[in-house]
Amino acid sequence: MRKFLLSSCFGVLAAFAAGGANAQDWSMPTGDYANTRYSKLNQITAANVGKLQVAWTFSTGVLRGHEGAPLVIGNVMYVHGPFPNPVYALDLDHDAKILWKYVPKQDPNVIPVMCCDTVNRGLAYADGKIFLHQADTTLVALDAKTGNVVWTAKNGDPSKGETGTSAPHVIKDKVIIGISGGEFGVRGSVTAYNVKDGKKVWRGYSMGPDSDTLIDPQKTTHLGKPVGADSGTNTWEGDQWKIGGGTTWGWYSYDPDLNLVYYGSGNPSTWNPKQRPGDNRWSMTIWARDADTGAVKWVYQMTPHDEWDFDGVNEMILSDQTINGQPRKLLTHFDRNGFGYTLDRTNGELLVAEKFDPKVNWATKVDMDKNSKTYGRPLVVSQYSTDQNGEDKNTKGVCPAALGTKDEQPAAYSPDTQLFYVPTNHVCMDYEPFKVSYTAGQPYVGATLSMYPPPGETNMGNFIAWDGKTGKIVWSDPEQFSVWSGALATAGGVVFYGTLEGYLKAVDAKSGKELFKFKTPSGIIGNVMTYQHGGKQYVAVLSGVGGWAGIGLAAGLTNPTDGLGAVGGYAALSNYTALGGQLTVFALPQ
Amino acid sequence: MRKFLLSSCFGVLAAFAAGGANAQDWSMPTGDYANTRYSKLNQITAANVGKLQVAWTFSTGVLRGHEGAPLVIGNVMYVHGPFPNPVYALDLDHDAKILWKYVPKQDPNVIPVMCCDTVNRGLAYADGKIFLHQADTTLVALDAKTGNVVWTAKNGDPSKGETGTSAPHVIKDKVIIGISGGEFGVRGSVTAYNVKDGKKVWRGYSMGPDSDTLIDPQKTTHLGKPVGADSGTNTWEGDQWKIGGGTTWGWYSYDPDLNLVYYGSGNPSTWNPKQRPGDNRWSMTIWARDADTGAVKWVYQMTPHDEWDFDGVNEMILSDQTINGQPRKLLTHFDRNGFGYTLDRTNGELLVAEKFDPKVNWATKVDMDKNSKTYGRPLVVSQYSTDQNGEDKNTKGVCPAALGTKDEQPAAYSPDTQLFYVPTNHVCMDYEPFKVSYTAGQPYVGATLSMYPPPGETNMGNFIAWDGKTGKIVWSDPEQFSVWSGALATAGGVVFYGTLEGYLKAVDAKSGKELFKFKTPSGIIGNVMTYQHGGKQYVAVLSGVGGWAGIGLAAGLTNPTDGLGAVGGYAALSNYTALGGQLTVFALPQ
């Protein structure tokens, strides 16, 4: 027991002080504040990873899509699952015995308003508490030792289509969460709650008056210039910003020196661009907010006036690299729209924006000419403009598809190789917008679509290594299906990811050469994590096919345009795997 | 493809000719006709089993209790699951790719009439067909290559509480199935269907007129004597035999030389003995029937007038051993009532009847004196007679509990050691009968009970080795919970079983010494099997806690007397495991 308390203390210190600096733990869902998902553990190397074995396994007791990953704090592992969002504390000193289990009571009526499976992306930890963001948007703090509820806070209203799928992120003394529901006309926001008692500290919306967005017309910049007054309303017709989308369900990162929180806001509602003329700010935007106040330092809108559901929520990975001989504090982001962006995270300066899949065709490029009127904007190809083609017209062959060249599946970054490891989708689509009217709590989608591999190809995914300084693919490993699992990079020179068929794979960080694979019970949409316990390094991943790509299997859909179009190209998944919900933990043999 | 066809042919031959004689396959749910669950495979030995690794895993896509085991025929594995009873054909040559999947459409109203979880005990194979006994009592023959339905037969009526949980057994050109529903007043029967077209060939009831039971008053013997006329009705009051129980959901064995099928019939309905005076023949009986006609060669009633739900369905294991210098064709049976019986299977002569758990207290012994009036009957201890104590009286401390010293979890037999390996329950109970009236399709239980470990002990199970010739325990490995997994014995000198916490364990066949254990995703109530593929021996087991012992977890029950009393002592299971449904396949490293 003494050991437990001691380890817990270390965990607290780690989470508060250095953002996961205690390499033995995996104390935050992103691995560290910088969102690198890089571990300093190096027992498992490129030379020995081929000998990896399954050490133990655990069923979560729930089926459907298992996104996220467990946490490890000292000698306790915390495992979560999709709706109804069970949380287990497992005693690593005693064969993963269940120390406690928490299953919230939630109204199952939340399930139909979860757009893309009943996923939950994980837990956060701080101050002796485990934080769970329930499907019904309740943020609950559990005593890490007992599982008893310490406090709860209600972040949204499922009857309006507001749901919770994202992991909470503890930043300093606050637990910060976003909201899901972009397909229900939810207006996105990010909210900070006090770790101690759950009191709301600040909330910043994605659109609306400056008082709502916490944008300062003069101090907040966009591509180096002040955004000016009413930037969150003046690119919307009338009151449309009130149902404007820009939800916030991705992974958040934090720079302690700058005290800035980084995240992306999602697609504007509806998917029918004709219904919402204008740039629809600040949907599709990279945000830098002050952690203490929520005040916005800078924004960068990647896809003004989205016409393809290129939801901008994907994670921002922070790294310090040298570009053109100059050390830079960088932020790298792989957007659904197929561009990999590198910015200066101190001020939002756009440094690199290149396609991370050569098939991306909806824009020729991002205009990098600072003197151009379209500076920083994608140059849209008319053929693929669903707005120009218009309502009830089927725009064919847009690449990427709505689920993007990458969706929420987080990339990793290794400071050793200075490469990003990116799980990608290699998928195109036909997209047909239609008029839709808004009713609170009802789907507000406004487009039908079908998704399929690029013409003439069969692989629907690639796992790539990306140089963020130059915006170039270094190597690319093709996969039959989208890689919907989060990557893990380690100091052992190995990178891990999972596949929708259910394989955990390990590849050489430098070459991408496959070094190990193992067929887990179900398709993997979870994020690979690693920890050390009893002097031994472990690698763990949740299996449980589902999420948007796997929604056909997860919800038993068969129509190609069901599941917001994901069923089509992914129907063949049922030849490889079935629903599950299991943790598989790997280690080297004795 | 050619290889597949060839292997399939071998499978057919094996199943028809020698009852699993092709040691590379696992072509019947019991391993072989003799029900030994012994494999001649010997790559995995006592010396190397400690190095066993997980080779691959597969999720069935269903939660709750996973009894049974997959079949392997050539290069295809067939996996089944609990309600809704999915069947998967997995291509062992291609990383267990799903060749086909079959999920019957069944009325979910069958679930409430499944007494002890929604289990299914497995598939049978013959003539290029896979046979599935659905929860709704439909017997379906699937084309083993395509999964297409070849024929179906309806064996019972769920609206009367008749359900299907047991595995089909192919014996020669017939597929033979039993029926579940002893807690709903179902009258048990065994039915043989033609493998080719599903036509009913014969049906033998457990009670009723001789024309129903297929008993010949003169030729059918009980302990060496003809049973006489109307033996299936004359120990019942009035028409009570019509709702008399004696269901037939265990594992069946077959002696090709004698052409006899062996199985047990279950408890008489209701559990309240006061309501059904008499011996209640032929509940609680070992049966030997002619495979072609169903004609009964002999019977032996183990527990006349059951007062404790000592359901007699457990398997009969056939072995040829020498007793007192005389080679005998033996049948060994570990009954719920706590006695291990050895009989001469040619004629039903009772040779041995000894307690296989020293705590068994409801009877002092089975009377072995052939000249005694009570020959072959258990000598009941008045203190534990729930009939003598009467209705609405709580009879305390009966050992074993209703789920018996062993339930359906099948034992194994090794001809190498001439020992039986028996998964046991080490559980006692309080039992209170009450008056109940019969309504078709409604529970007809008539007793409440609670179950717990024997006073002063904490382990609720043992895995034992048993000498069937002498009726003695050779060694006994204690387990915290009932061992609800079927055992596997191998020519490698290793015996395997699973635990309710989820461990697969391997022990030395001679000494019982633990040689290997691995924590699978969920509690194990499945039966361990082995097969060889590509020259390599594999061991596989289904995880998925549930069944009667795990019904608390499986059905979310918390009241100690819920789940027919199983919740009590098994409540602590939730500290170790959660619901699951996974296959884990093990092999030695390369």
Side-chain angles (χ1 to χ4, degrees), chain B residues 6-22:
Chain B
L6 224 69
S7 301
S8 296
C9 287
F10 285 137
V12 174
L13 289 174
F16 266 122
N22 176 358

Side-chain angles (χ1 to χ4, degrees), chain B residues 237-381:
Chain B
E237 267 195 352
D239 278 354
Q240 283 194 343
W241 57 268
K242 291 184 176 172
I243 52 168
T247 51
T248 50
W249 48 275
W251 309 97
Y252 298 6
S253 50
Y254 173 64
D255 183 323
D257 294 333
L258 300 170
N259 200 34
L260 291 177
V261 181
Y262 303 96
Y263 69 94
S265 56
N267 57 292
S269 300
T270 114
W271 287 7
N272 177 0
K274 277 286 183 206
Q275 279 184 255
R276 43 169 174 73
D279 274 0
N280 309 133
R281 288 181 170 178
W282 295 103
S283 69
M284 304 304 216
T285 294
I286 300 176
W287 296 73
R289 285 187 190 269
D290 183 274
D292 294 319
T293 63
V296 182
K297 169 91 171 168
W298 58 262
V299 283
Y300 168 57
Q301 191 183 40
M302 299 167 285
T303 315
H305 188 62
D306 168 64
E307 310 171 44
W308 314 269
D309 182 38
F310 289 154
D311 200 338
V313 300
N314 294 352
E315 76 284 358
M316 314 298 154
I317 306 180
L318 313 186
S319 68
D320 294 345
Q321 298 185 63
T322 298
I323 296 187
N324 297 329
Q326 196 185 351
R328 301 294 292 253
K329 288 178 179 292
L330 301 179
L331 173 156
T332 301
H333 166 82
F334 300 92
D335 198 64
R336 284 254 282 267
N337 71 15
F339 286 90
Y341 297 87
T342 300
L343 292 88
D344 183 319
R345 71 175 177 271
T346 64
N347 57 14
E349 180 190 353
L350 183 60
L351 303 173
V352 176
E354 295 291 340
K355 296 175 181 178
F356 62 101
D357 182 335
K359 290 289 172 183
V360 171
N361 64 9
W362 67 280
T364 53
K365 63 172 187 173
V366 174
D367 189 347
M368 300 299 285
D369 179 357
K370 287 190 180 178
N371 300 315
S372 164
K373 277 204 292 187
T374 55
Y375 172 51
R377 295 177 77 99
L379 303 182
V380 175
V381 176

Side-chain angles (χ1 to χ4, degrees), chain A residues 76-359:
Chain A
V76 182
M77 177 184 279
Y78 301 92
V79 179
H80 71 287
F83 183 90
N85 307 134
V87 181
Y88 297 89
L90 306 181
D91 183 350
L92 298 178
D93 285 343
H94 296 96
D95 260 17
K97 196 182 165 187
I98 300 171
L99 293 166
W100 54 258
K101 175 185 179 181
Y102 172 77
V103 185
K105 286 196 170 59
Q106 295 185 79
D107 186 341
N109 285 324
V110 72
I111 294 175
V113 287
M114 302 187 82
C115 97
C116 308
D117 206 2
T118 55
V119 297
N120 179 281
R121 295 193 190 84
L123 307 167
Y125 173 81
D127 192 33
K129 302 183 190 80
I130 290 290
F131 301 98
L132 166 69
H133 185 193
Q134 298 176 188
D136 68 2
T137 77
T138 303
L139 176 65
V140 57
L142 302 170
D143 184 310
K145 283 197 205 101
T146 63
N148 294 336
V149 173
V150 181
W151 55 255
T152 65
K154 190 78 181 166
N155 194 54
D157 180 355
S159 76
K160 294 179 181 160
E162 293 173 342
T163 56
T165 61
S166 56
H169 294 81
V170 172
I171 290 170
K172 297 167 78 178
D173 59 349
K174 295 175 189 65
V175 52
I176 297 183
I177 56 171
I179 202 152
S180 300
E183 281 58 58
F184 291 81
V186 167
R187 179 165 64 126
S189 63
V190 169
T191 311
Y193 295 90
N194 192 308
V195 158
K196 286 279 173 216
D197 54 18
K199 289 217 174 102
K200 193 198 289 188
V201 185
W202 56 258
R203 169 172 288 176
Y205 284 90
S206 300
M207 55 265 317
D210 293 339
S211 57
D212 279 9
T213 57
L214 310 185
I215 280 175
D216 183 306
Q218 270 68 54
K219 290 186 189 158
T220 303
T221 62
H222 183 243
L223 292 169
K225 293 180 182 159
V227 296
D230 304 323
S231 66
T233 54
N234 64 16
T235 61
W236 293 90
E237 265 195 353
D239 279 355
Q240 283 195 342
W241 57 267
K242 290 182 177 173
I243 53 168
T247 51
T248 50
W249 47 276
W251 309 96
Y252 298 7
S253 50
Y254 173 65
D255 182 322
D257 294 332
L258 301 170
N259 199 34
L260 291 176
V261 181
Y262 302 97
Y263 68 95
S265 54
N267 57 292
S269 300
T270 115
W271 287 7
N272 176 1
K274 278 286 183 204
Q275 279 185 256
R276 43 167 176 74
D279 273 0
N280 310 131
R281 288 180 170 178
W282 296 100
S283 69
M284 305 304 217
T285 294
I286 300 175
W287 296 73
R289 286 188 190 268
D290 183 275
D292 295 319
T293 64
V296 182
K297 170 90 171 170
W298 58 262
V299 284
Y300 167 56
Q301 191 182 41
M302 299 167 286
T303 315
H305 187 61
D306 168 65
E307 310 171 45
W308 313 270
D309 182 38
F310 290 154
D311 200 337
V313 300
N314 294 352
E315 75 286 357
M316 315 296 156
I317 305 179
L318 313 185
S319 68
D320 293 345
Q321 298 185 64
T322 297
I323 296 188
N324 297 328
Q326 195 184 350
R328 301 292 291 256
K329 287 178 179 291
L330 302 178
L331 173 156
T332 301
H333 166 82
F334 300 92
D335 198 65
R336 284 254 283 266
N337 71 17
F339 286 90
Y341 297 88
T342 301
L343 292 87
D344 183 317
R345 71 175 177 271
T346 64
N347 57 15
E349 182 190 350
L350 183 61
L351 303 174
V352 176
E354 295 291 342
K355 296 174 181 178
F356 62 102
D357 182 336
K359 290 290 173 183

Side-chain angles (χ1 to χ4, degrees), chain A residues 51-63 88 94-99 101 503 517-522 553 573-584 589, chain B residues 51-63 88 94-99 101 503 517-522 553 573-584 589:
Chain A
K51 295 187 201 295
L52 221 52
Q53 294 183 3
V54 180
W56 56 276
T57 55
F58 179 78
S59 176
T60 65
V62 192
L63 300 174
Y88 297 89
H94 296 96
D95 260 17
K97 196 182 165 187
I98 300 171
L99 293 166
K101 175 185 179 181
Y503 290 104
K517 72 170 180 174
F518 177 88
K519 186 97 187 267
T520 72
S522 179
L553 261 179
L573 256 182
S574 64
N575 296 332
Y576 294 91
T577 197
L579 295 193
Q582 303 91 9
L583 181 76
T584 308
Chain B
K51 294 188 201 296
L52 221 53
Q53 293 182 5
V54 180
W56 56 276
T57 56
F58 179 77
S59 175
T60 65
V62 191
L63 300 174
Y88 297 89
H94 295 96
D95 260 18
K97 194 181 166 189
I98 300 171
L99 293 167
K101 175 185 179 181
Y503 289 105
K517 73 170 179 174
F518 177 87
K519 186 95 187 269
T520 72
S522 180
L553 261 177
L573 255 183
S574 65
N575 297 332
Y576 295 90
T577 196
L579 295 192
Q582 302 90 9
L583 180 77
T584 309

Side-chain angles (χ1 to χ4, degrees), chain B residues 424-427 451-454 457-462 479-483 566 568-570:
Chain B
T424 74
N425 311 318
H426 190 58
V427 185
M451 302 199 261
Y452 44 80
E457 302 194 51
T458 54
N459 67 306
M460 293 176 71
N462 294 292
E479 286 288 348
Q480 179 168 1
F481 298 102
S482 292
V483 186
Y570 298 92

